[in-house]
């Protein structure tokens, strides 16, 4: 089948790249360590991949599972995940009270995933903290999302008397020194600023300056607490918030920010063992957002010595419908640049409604004679430096539009999606899906289960093996959306050992820390990663953080140019070893691909192979790009 007969709709920057919290109906709300350190034993366990603490264990403490149990026993009520092959241990504390208490779990999952880049993570409600806990950890992160959370005095005391590094985000910093005049004086003397007289600036704050980059910020995230710096010599300002009009014109910040008419004020500061950020940067995050500064701050606590900037590229939605000529053109270009690349293989092509075949259903497995030349092309691409990945089994669901037309590469495979005429409820779902419609994620599919998801992974692997292709190195979830049990099933095949990984963005759900067997799918948060992590589902995850090239707008998402992608790569230079990882549809030719690659290389990034990141040897010799 010629690519010209198919119009693919697999635009993952639209399906999960913009991380908006708890907005199911909009834009699908949805990492570099030393290479030798990436042969990790990722801890996967019961529930949602994390281990819930109950008691201390006396078994062999050297196994990954028992290391996790030992860590969780030091933090009552915590959930533990990460990798035991890297040394850091991070305690993430979160709020749980009030009508918005459920947000704390979501934020803790996101922060824990970032901290897992450097080792193990324990996420615990701050109300359960006990005196001395933090001494068992490399670093502590507290995310304040509930105003007036009842924070234990033991935690406050440990923050101000311990040498353990602490990152405090957002609400409630005033509890650190407002118990008495003596406490205020002692805090100022040690840290050089006064939380008790630090107030919100509610101006339109649309950007943050951090490490030479101007990162975006959605003003809908609300105000930012401006720290009242009393002794500047004791405080290092790490980032500044910029006050502007809605038109982007700089204006003086509010007087309570205590900056005397300046158009910016400290967004993040550090002194002694405490780093403070005047907001929670996990709300309204995008690829260009101050979330990148947060990711760097987390690495600064857990792995401050890591350096280097790695680039990655995947060729997307590769199926029997593709033009062999276009596939080889992209592969030969990348080979000529000595760049290894991912091949996102969809094993089984289905068009049950005959959308692209005049109403006649089409079914082409890899083992079909119709796929023979396509399989030969994939083998050539591997010889040219390609690393095989598995992108679902059919990349569609059943014989219904989900949301488009039921065809491979167009639709969700592991999540229900429909098109609606509005971005928010109440929805009017429509078929067919017009370009002006909004694509709405509704939740798990009928009959969804871990065994069902596993059967689809295995079916794809069986077809791949049957035609003599190598076992794929990585997994990409179609349209970056699946249920909790699906992600756990994927991890059994990809990411829970030292030679495979997930390579995508992911969804996380309400209650996954407190009630892992019954996640709340009405509370959903997506996350992308600027470096490798070992996530809550028990999987090593290779990052994709730049999205893709899209020359036309689709379903209320703008077109994306090579310049957009390169600009996002520049923003990721703010992360001490941030990645520049994008994907590309070979049907667009090589002109835009060339522009993206050269632009990213011009920023100082070095392209790497997914196999190399996982510690495996590449068998590709880069020379002539014949592919023969």
């Amino acid at each position: 089948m010629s690519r010209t007969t198919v119009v693919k709709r697999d635009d993952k920057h639209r399906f999960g790249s913009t991380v908006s919290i708890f907005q199911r109906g909009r834009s699908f709300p949805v990492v570099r360590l030393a290479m030798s350190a990436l042969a990790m034993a990722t801890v996967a366990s019961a529930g949602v991949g994390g281990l819930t603490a109950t008691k201390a264990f006396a078994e062999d403490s050297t196994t990954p599972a028992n290391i996790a149990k030992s860590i969780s026993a030091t933090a009552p009520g915590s959930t533990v995940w990460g990798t035991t092959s890297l040394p850091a241990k991070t305690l993430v504390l979160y709020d749980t009270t009030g009508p918005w208490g459920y947000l704390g779990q979501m934020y803790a999952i996101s922060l824990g995933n970032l901290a897992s880049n450097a080792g193990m993570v324990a996420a615990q409600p701050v109300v359960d903290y006990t005196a001395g806990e933090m001494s068992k950890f490399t670093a502590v992160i507290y995310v304040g999302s509930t105003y007036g959370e009842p924070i234990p005095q033991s935690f406050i005391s440990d923050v101000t008397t311990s040498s353990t590094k602490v990152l405090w985000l957002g609400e409630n910093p005033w509890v650190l020194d407002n118990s008495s005049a003596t406490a205020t004086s002692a805090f100022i003397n040690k840290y050089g600023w006064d939380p008790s007289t630090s107030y919100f600036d509610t101006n339109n704050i649309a950007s943050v300056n951090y490490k030479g980059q101007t990162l975006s910020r959605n003003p809908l995230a609300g105000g930012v607490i401006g720290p009242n710096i009393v002794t500047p010599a004791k405080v290092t300002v790490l980032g500044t918030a910029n006050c502007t009009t809605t038109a982007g014109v700089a204006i003086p910040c509010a007087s309570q920010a205590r900056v005397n008419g300046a158009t910016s004020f400290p967004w993040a500061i550090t002194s002694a063992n405490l780093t403070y950020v005047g907001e929670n940067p996990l709300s309204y995050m995008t690829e260009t957002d101050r979330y990148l500064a947060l990711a760097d701050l987390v690495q600064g606590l857990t792995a401050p010595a890591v350096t280097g900037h790695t680039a990655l590229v995947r060729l997307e939605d590769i199926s029997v419908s593709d033009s062999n000529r276009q596939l080889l053109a992209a592969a030969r270009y990348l080979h000529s640049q000595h760049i290894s690349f991912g091949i996102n293989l969809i094993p089984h092509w289905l068009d049950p409604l005959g959308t692209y075949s005049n109403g006649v259903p089409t079914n082409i497995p890899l083992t079909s004679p119709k796929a023979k030349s396509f399989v030969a092309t994939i083998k050539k691409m591997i010889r040219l430096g390609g690393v095989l990945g598995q992108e679902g089994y059919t990349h569609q669901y059943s014989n219904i539009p989900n949301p488009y037309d039921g065809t491979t590469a167009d639709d969700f495979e592991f999540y229900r999606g429909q098109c609606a005429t509005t971005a928010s409820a109440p929805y009017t779902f429509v078929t067919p899906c017009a370009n002006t419609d909004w694509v709405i994620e509704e939740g798990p599919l009928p009959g969804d289960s871990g065994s069902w998801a596993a059967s689809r992974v295995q079916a794809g692997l069986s077809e791949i093996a049957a035609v003599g292709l190598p076992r794929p190195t990585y997994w990409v979830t179609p349209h970056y959306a699946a249920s909790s049990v699906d992600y756990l099933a994927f991890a059994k095949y990809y990411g829970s050992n030292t030679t495979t990984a997930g390579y995508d963005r992911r969804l996380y759900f309400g209650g996954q820390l407190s009630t892992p067997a019954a996640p709340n799918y009405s509370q959903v948060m997506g996350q992308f990663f600027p470096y490798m992590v070992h996530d809550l589902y028990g999987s090593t995850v290779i990052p994709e953080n730049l999205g893709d090239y899209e020359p036309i707008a689709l379903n209320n998402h703008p077109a994306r140019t090579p310049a957009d992608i390169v600009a996002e790569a520049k923003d990721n230079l703010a992360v001490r070893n941030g990645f520049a990882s994008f994907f590309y549809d070979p049907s667009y030719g090589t002109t835009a691909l060339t522009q993206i690659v050269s632009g990213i290389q011009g920023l100082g990034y070095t392209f790497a192979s997914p196999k190399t990141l996982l510690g495996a040897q590449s068998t590709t010799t880069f020379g002539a790009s014949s592919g023969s």
Side-chain angles (χ1 to χ4, degrees):
M1 298 173 66
S2 168
R3 163 62 69 207
T4 57
T5 66
V6 178
V7 180
K8 292 195 297 183
R9 296 185 176 91
D10 194 15
D11 307 317
K12 289 190 184 63
H13 76 274
R14 314 173 196 280
F15 296 107
S17 68
T18 298
V19 182
S20 310
I21 300 175
F22 314 117
Q23 297 182 8
R24 279 195 305 161
R26 190 178 189 285
S27 69
F28 308 101
V30 216
V31 268
R32 165 146 164 167
L33 299 175
M35 291 180 183
S36 61
L38 286 172
M40 71 290 294
T42 301
V43 174
S45 60
V48 241
L51 180 73
T52 300
T54 53
K55 60 188 179 68
F57 291 82
E59 299 102 298
D60 179 7
S61 62
T62 62
T63 66
N66 287 326
I67 291 173
K69 292 174 184 177
S70 175
I71 293 171
S72 65
T74 67
S78 67
T79 300
V80 174
W81 70 95
T83 174
T84 59
S85 293
L86 296 170
K89 293 185 292 184
T90 304
L91 177 63
V92 178
L93 299 169
Y94 59 95
D95 294 344
T96 54
T97 66
W100 304 102
Y102 66 88
L103 290 169
Q105 283 195 46
M106 309 299 292
Y107 297 138
I109 291 170
S110 294
L111 289 164
N113 285 338
L114 291 175
S116 72
N117 166 261
M120 296 295 292
V121 175
Q124 178 191 37
V126 70
V127 295
D128 292 336
Y129 182 89
T130 59
E133 268 187 49
M134 68 172 60
S135 65
K136 307 294 194 302
F137 291 88
T138 307
V140 175
I141 303 172
Y142 166 64
V143 54
S145 58
T146 298
Y147 176 83
E149 182 79 2
I151 298 175
Q153 184 59 44
S154 58
F155 176 55
I156 298 169
S157 177
D158 283 354
V159 169
T160 56
T161 60
S162 169
S163 61
T164 302
K165 293 179 288 184
V166 177
L167 172 61
W168 190 299
L169 305 173
E171 297 277 7
N172 306 315
W174 34 84
V175 302
L176 290 168
D177 75 337
N178 68 355
S179 61
S180 66
T182 301
T184 300
S185 176
F187 188 94
I188 293 173
N189 185 57
K190 180 174 181 179
Y191 294 99
W193 64 287
D194 181 7
S196 69
T197 55
S198 296
Y199 306 110
F200 280 100
D201 186 303
T202 55
N203 273 300
N204 188 79
I205 300 170
S207 65
V208 167
N209 293 339
Y210 183 82
K211 291 177 68 171
Q213 305 299 326
T214 299
L215 304 174
S216 63
R217 179 183 186 274
N218 191 328
L220 292 176
V224 175
I225 297 174
N228 179 18
I229 298 174
V230 179
T231 312
K234 293 186 176 181
V235 178
T236 300
V237 176
L238 302 175
T240 56
N242 301 313
C243 303
T244 64
T245 66
T246 55
V249 178
I251 58 173
C253 299
S255 59
Q256 60 262 37
R258 299 177 182 276
V259 288
N260 299 319
T263 58
S264 65
F265 64 91
W267 177 80
I269 61 172
T270 188
S271 54
N273 66 313
L274 177 63
T275 298
Y276 177 69
V277 178
E279 65 163 334
N280 170 17
L282 291 167
S283 60
Y284 295 95
M285 52 177 160
T286 67
E287 291 94 339
T288 63
D289 187 70
R290 82 282 195 222
Y291 166 71
L292 299 176
L294 171 64
D296 183 69
L297 290 171
V298 171
Q299 269 200 330
L301 288 182
T302 60
V306 295
T307 57
H309 290 94
T310 298
L312 294 170
V313 56
R314 293 185 334 223
L315 298 181
E316 201 73 3
D317 294 339
I318 307 304
S319 75
V320 69
S321 72
D322 281 283
S323 158
N324 293 332
R325 176 185 59 81
Q326 290 175 328
L327 292 178
L328 287 174
R332 285 171 176 151
Y333 163 70
L334 292 169
H335 184 270
S336 74
Q337 301 301 304
H338 295 188
I339 294 173
S340 181
F341 53 91
I343 304 170
N344 280 19
L345 177 64
I346 306 171
H348 197 118
W349 170 269
L350 282 178
D351 182 3
L353 302 179
T355 302
Y356 299 107
S357 51
N358 297 316
V360 178
T362 305
N363 183 342
I364 308 177
L366 279 180
T367 52
S368 167
K370 294 181 180 180
K372 184 175 180 180
S373 64
F374 170 70
V375 172
T377 295
I378 296 300
K379 291 178 179 179
K380 290 179 183 178
M381 294 173 72
I382 292 172
R383 290 195 292 272
L384 287 167
V387 175
L388 197 63
Q390 182 179 353
E391 189 174 354
Y393 175 40
T394 63
H395 203 316
Q396 56 79 239
Y397 171 71
S398 188
N399 60 351
I400 63 172
N402 191 38
Y404 293 111
D405 50 33
T407 306
T408 289
D410 283 358
D411 281 11
F412 292 91
E413 182 171 354
F414 296 97
Y415 219 64
R416 182 64 172 131
Q418 294 193 72
C419 290
T421 55
T422 58
S424 56
Y427 301 115
T428 300
F429 293 118
V430 293
T431 303
C433 187
N435 193 31
T436 54
D437 292 335
W438 301 82
V439 179
I440 308 302
E441 284 186 352
E442 295 184 82
L445 290 161
D448 177 63
S449 69
S451 59
W452 171 77
S455 71
R456 297 189 70 80
V457 178
Q458 186 57 59
L461 287 170
S462 296
E463 286 194 22
I464 290 168
V467 296
L469 291 171
R471 204 275 193 196
T473 297
Y474 63 84
W475 168 269
V476 175
T477 303
H479 285 335
Y480 291 171
S483 71
S484 176
V485 293
D486 295 343
Y487 282 117
L488 288 169
F490 304 155
K492 294 177 182 178
Y493 294 89
Y494 293 96
S496 58
N497 56 45
T498 60
T499 58
T500 64
Y503 187 174
D504 50 19
R505 308 179 184 203
R506 304 200 149 193
L507 299 183
Y508 303 92
F509 307 99
Q512 285 188 299
L513 299 183
S514 58
T515 55
N520 186 338
Y521 288 105
S522 70
Q523 300 167 357
V524 57
M525 180 174 184
Q527 188 173 16
F528 68 93
F529 308 109
Y531 38 67
M532 291 185 73
V533 303
H534 317 283
D535 86 329
L536 181 69
Y537 295 119
S539 176
T540 296
V541 183
I542 297 170
E544 182 285 290
N545 60 330
L546 301 185
D548 68 334
Y549 166 70
E550 287 294 338
I552 60 173
L554 180 65
N555 291 118
N556 297 289
H557 294 275
R560 287 167 51 82
T561 68
D564 292 330
I565 295 172
V566 173
E568 291 170 3
K570 181 175 181 294
D571 289 334
N572 276 272
L573 293 173
V575 185
R576 63 197 62 214
N577 71 345
F579 277 56
S581 178
F582 72 101
F583 59 96
Y584 191 84
D585 186 335
S587 69
Y588 289 132
T590 58
T591 300
L593 178 61
T594 301
Q595 294 170 351
I596 296 167
V597 167
S598 61
I600 289 174
Q601 288 176 324
L603 293 171
Y605 286 91
T606 300
F607 277 89
S609 162
K611 278 191 174 181
T612 305
L613 294 175
L614 295 170
Q617 284 292 112
S618 172
T619 59
T620 303
T621 299
F622 288 102
S625 58
S626 66
S628 60

